[in-house]
Amino acid sequence: MKSIARALISVSDKIGIVAFARQLQAWGVEILSTGGTAQLLHKHNIRTMEVSTYTGFPEMMGGRIKTLHPKIHGGILGRREIDANIMAKHNIAPIDLVAVNLYPFQQTVAKPDCDLAAAIENIDIGGPTLLRAAAKNHAAVTVIVNPEDYEKVLGEMEVNHGALSSATRFELAVKSFEHTARYDAAIANYLGALTPNDEKSIFPHSYNVQFTKKQAMRYGENPHQRAAFYVEQAPPAGTIATAQQLQGKTLSFNNIADTDAALACVKAFHEGPACVIVKHANPCGVAMGTDLQDAYERAYAADPISAFGGIIAFNQPLDPATAKAIIERQFAEVIIAPAVTITAQEVLTSKPNIRVLACGEWPSQAAASWDYKRIVGGLLLQDQDIGTVPLEALRTVTERSPTPQELKDLLFAWHVVKFVKSNAIVYAKNGQTIGIGAGQTSRVMSSQIAGLKAKEAGFSTQNAVLASDAFFPFRDGLEAAAKAGIRAVIQPGGSRRDEEVIAAANEWGMTMLFTGMRHFRH
Ligand SMILES: NC(=O)c1ncn([C@@H]2O[C@H](COP(=O)(O)O)[C@@H](O)[C@H]2O)c1NC=O
């Protein structure tokens, strides 16, 4: 391994650069740097030669030209053996280390007052060129794009007498290409979302994103499908993407998808302990409780048959009593909560296969983000369904208004139905689902299934409430529910036959609320 003799430093984010350069200098590394970086290093008594002095060419055009010179790029890209003669002929010295980070394009365009001119000036050209050149020639050159890597590089140089292993150089080169790909993607997304009049539209001309592999998997949705788990660059807190696994077998593809669904549903409950049990991405039991154990017992009781092998999510830290209740009662694939107390963790160690995850607290209002659906040959992009209906926007459309208890249960059922695959019908009573009809091709069938589930779990549907994710297209679905004893309904409304459905509700003495918001989920 050849030790590093010459480094080029050109950084916008100057964090950690002084300490890094000082150590390089201490080991006798010659340092070249661009204007602002050189100024900072000089201020800290670190010897450095400005790139403009080295090339004999001034920085110009407001910084658009700084390092774009054959003496720089030849020094980085030159193949140390093959190109030795040509390098010598043109007086090009090899550059062995490149530390560069780029103009803050993403931060600039995120500012509300950013205009096109500011965005354009923050497109770094020389920086990515340096990074790409150094990464391409990683056989001879070390490239650092992330200040977090300064320490690692210095550490390895210390051990290896000023050199870096080829494995580290390769790893850093991959990081560098990932970084420039992300950077260019951000530029393409931003510019691609501008109309010819520079007005910003929501959707760019091409949609470019980068996800990073978090976990390899044995298989995907089925054993013959290969799979891996990728996460966003900065995933939101309180998600499966950021969750810490405290024990248990490796998460599978279906575990991750189902846990995501369970978490999404349990996050809908802000007041009081709640538990959601999910099977195949559908909630099968959801309940509020006086405490977390009570919430779990009630969620389990909602559909004990389906709960077997389920994913259990909580909206409050998991305590030992609840942990004990779970392991004594059922086989579970995954348990997830914002936190898991130490004593609860101790309880769960007796079932070492159960995957237990702590995902941390989540913000009360989810940040807006995109939702994707892959189709063969394309991608559907939409807002995440984070829409909620404020209480004052609910409209009572029947002669009878809901009682306070009915209203409570209707809101509870409405929170749940949004997370059930369409056509979705939820029967609920006293803050507990008693029957969930999911994924049917007709709404009336979902309603019948919800009734059957309630019966199977031993619940009476008399005076229960019903939530429907979309309007009832005909009066039959509503009447089927009425016959089962349902006395209160919440649904978006908006059907051509709303009047017929309302008339049916009135005939049966029901109360019905319209939300004006539909929650299809496929
Ligand atoms: N134009 C160039 O030749 C060029 N070479 C390097 N840069 C960038 O200039 C910045 C550092 O500038 P300074 O050292 O002057 O603060 C770095 O973000 C680096 O990526 C350049 N600037 C933009 O393209």
Side-chain angles (χ1 to χ4, degrees), residues 8-14 33-39 59-60 62-69 73 99-104 121 123-131 183:
L8 169 69
I9 305 181
S10 178
V11 286
S12 270
D13 179 354
K14 296 186 168 58
S33 57
T34 43
T37 309
Q39 227 178 29
E59 289 190 5
M60 59 175 75
R64 286 186 170 205
I65 306 286
K66 296 185 192 180
T67 53
L68 296 165
H69 192 282
H73 285 280
V100 168
N101 58 59
L102 308 177
Y103 290 173
E121 276 322 306
I123 297 176
D124 199 321
I125 299 298
T129 313
L130 292 168
L131 290 173
Y183 193 78

Side-chain angles (χ1 to χ4, degrees), residues 21-58:
R22 182 171 286 129
Q23 189 56 60
L24 292 181
Q25 174 177 267
W27 287 335
V29 176
E30 191 183 304
I31 299 172
L32 299 169
S33 57
T34 43
T37 309
Q39 227 178 29
L40 179 74
L41 297 184
H42 283 144
K43 205 174 112 194
H44 288 85
N45 298 320
I46 296 165
R47 274 188 313 280
T48 174
M49 181 185 283
E50 280 209 37
V51 167
S52 53
T53 312
Y54 179 67
T55 58
F57 223 85

Side-chain angles (χ1 to χ4, degrees), residues 211-241:
F211 292 93
T212 306
K213 186 156 75 182
K214 180 170 178 180
Q215 188 194 312
M217 277 166 184
R218 282 201 304 134
Y219 58 84
E221 203 161 1
N222 298 293
H224 61 277
Q225 292 172 274
R226 294 172 295 176
F229 178 33
Y230 283 78
V231 295
E232 291 168 7
Q233 193 61 23
T239 58
I240 181 74

Side-chain angles (χ1 to χ4, degrees), residues 439-454:
Q440 297 306 303
T441 45
S442 79
R443 192 156 298 280
V444 66
M445 184 57 77
S446 283
S447 199
Q448 284 168 10
I449 290 174
L452 279 174
K453 289 257 178 189

